[in-house]
Amino acid sequence: MKAIYSILYTLSAKGFSFFLNYIAVSLLLLESYGEFSLIFSTINSLVVVTSLGLLYSGSIVSSKWMSVNKDYVFNYFKFSLYLIFVLSLLFSYSFSIFYGNFIWVFLSVFIFSLVSLFDGFFYGIGSIKKLSIIGLINIIIIIPITYVFIKNLGLYGSILTIAFCKVFIVVIQIYFFAKEFEKKYFYIKINYFRQIMLFYRKYNLPLLISAFIATPVVTASIYILSINKNLEEVAIFSWIYQIYLIGMFIPISLGSYYLSILNKKNIENKINYIFMINKFNLLVTMFSIFIIFMIKYFILELGKIEKIPNSSNVFNMFLVCMLVYSLNLGFLSFWSSIGKNYFHLVLQILWAFTLLFTVYLSVSELGAVSIPLGMSLGFMLQYVLQFLTLKKHIKKLNVNKVGV
């Protein structure tokens, strides 16, 4: 059941992103939607950095130490909250120099980051049902508000929607978080500072750098696309990218759930489990690809891009990207569970370089197709390297067994 709840929670998050983009593309001019996509993508990039990889690292902390040392867990999350606040201020101010709207951008970045912080905690303690219920209620509340804001305020209304879309979730999360620790008041002082910093160095730092590479690199690719082509090409990419995220929501949603299970297994069982995960992810993604392909032209019409020549090519390339990406998703949980987040960092650097290099070389000719093409090539290189590395782990494990 926990796996189903994890899927439902991610579906509520991805569902909001889809509906936000659908309402925006329906009510805004295509160029205004392209501008909105740039802003939304940039905010998401900032959140990836300010959330500090806490979805995974926070899950590890709470799953391993909640029953052993609750005070350490509380101080870890309190320290993370302080850090999120400072980083959100700094990055939001930098962003506002170019785009304005400092208050709304800060609220968006800070609230999104807090949701990741508390998501990691609740995944770690196995309270996924609470998350799924909160997420579903939130999407029911926020969708009509989104429509009213964008209908009456246009592009500015879409920015306001981003800022307010997760307020309900984070307020409820804070309430349940405090209840877990029975905290009637809040100390500013951080205990276990040295232990927290050691954990950050081993887990959060590589996850943070990896995250800093991933989403911001996609955003950088969008900017390259906008410079070499136009906002119409950006709009094509942004709409189909939302479909890609919806298509991948089941494998993505189960990442933290898989990690909570892998943390409790020995290395041999971890390896066996990861093969099961990869097979499941591949089968689910192939089914999603089939369904999405069958309704391809309906999706393009929904985004009002069916008459733009390049839209079909972008759509098809994203289907390829889905297939290759599904081969990689389970590995992140595995490397995190055995403390090899720096290896994942190397993989992200490889992926980022491949994406940017591909976009730089082909964007003038291929337009928006160049981004999913670069993503696909990067994912393929990641898979090959991860598969070979896992085989080495298996060989080493077999050698140790013989030695014993």
Side-chain angles (χ1 to χ4, degrees), residues 74-97:
F74 181 76
N75 278 274
Y76 172 86
F77 280 90
K78 184 168 62 172
F79 171 80
S80 301
L81 189 151
Y82 293 163
L83 197 53
I84 284 173
F85 179 79
V86 173
L87 290 175
S88 298
L89 275 177
L90 292 175
F91 282 107
S92 299
Y93 178 74
S94 301
F95 176 78
S96 67
I97 292 174

Side-chain angles (χ1 to χ4, degrees), residues 206 328 394:
N328 287 279
I394 295 172

Side-chain angles (χ1 to χ4, degrees), residues 213 344-357 374 377-386:
I213 291 168
H344 182 257
L345 173 58
V346 172
L347 294 170
Q348 287 296 88
I349 293 172
L350 174 66
W351 179 84
F353 176 80
T354 305
L355 171 57
L356 288 175
F357 187 69
L377 293 174
F379 287 138
M380 180 57 71
L381 290 174
Q382 280 188 331
Y383 174 73
V384 171
L385 188 54
Q386 289 185 105

